[in-house]
Amino acid sequence: MANVTSIKQAETETRKAVLTQELEELSKLSGQRHDLQIEYAADPLDLIRSGIDRDIVVTQLNQQARTIYDVRSALTKIEEGAYGLCEQCEESISSKRLDAVPWARRCAACQSNAESRARLFHAA
């Protein structure tokens, strides 16, 4: 049992290092707000293009903010000893999933269900 515990602790420490590095990288990227400047142009096509560019930057910044929140949440869960548990079904999240997405909040099944519900909601 001590061997299993030490393996899990080593995995958690590795994931903590990955999460910390991810948070640092995301924090550097969040400085892209300068791309949100509003430009006025006489040409309507330039105005449309500028608006589309702004929308893309806003979408990217929103995604980065969500990921930063999830990474910080995962780091807090590591400190609290609750890391790796699905927020929905409270079962363990697989190591494969945590290797791929160390800040995962749900197990693969619950994440898939949440995404399906979101698609149905947006389609309606």
Side-chain angles (χ1 to χ4, degrees):
M1 183 70 169
N3 223 1
V4 172
T5 303
S6 63
I7 290 170
K8 285 192 174 217
Q9 284 177 330
E11 285 179 6
T12 301
E13 287 302 315
T14 300
R15 289 196 182 105
K16 183 177 180 179
V18 169
L19 287 164
T20 301
Q21 181 179 357
E22 183 72 21
L23 186 59
E24 289 172 8
E25 290 176 19
L26 286 167
S27 296
K28 290 176 190 173
L29 291 175
S30 66
Q32 294 177 342
R33 288 185 172 86
H34 66 277
D35 292 337
L36 290 175
Q37 65 187 2
I38 297 174
E39 298 175 7
Y40 295 99
D43 186 3
L45 292 177
D46 287 341
L47 286 172
I48 292 170
R49 179 65 183 170
S50 178
I52 291 170
D53 290 345
R54 255 192 329 277
D55 289 346
I56 290 170
V57 171
V58 167
T59 300
Q60 290 171 339
L61 288 171
N62 285 338
Q63 179 60 40
Q64 288 171 357
R66 279 191 296 274
T67 304
I68 287 171
Y69 176 82
D70 289 344
V71 170
R72 285 183 176 154
S73 177
L75 287 167
T76 299
K77 288 178 183 182
I78 287 173
E79 298 304 318
E80 295 172 349
Y83 178 75
L85 295 177
C86 177
E87 290 181 356
Q88 197 163 347
C89 70
E90 298 181 359
E91 295 293 322
S92 292
I93 299 171
S94 72
S95 289
K96 278 180 140 178
R97 176 146 170 79
L98 290 173
D99 287 342
V101 184
W103 54 87
R105 301 173 73 106
R106 297 182 187 107
C107 66
C110 290
Q111 183 64 36
S112 178
N113 289 337
E115 289 172 2
S116 293
R117 284 192 307 271
R119 277 193 297 274
L120 288 174
F121 176 75
H122 290 295

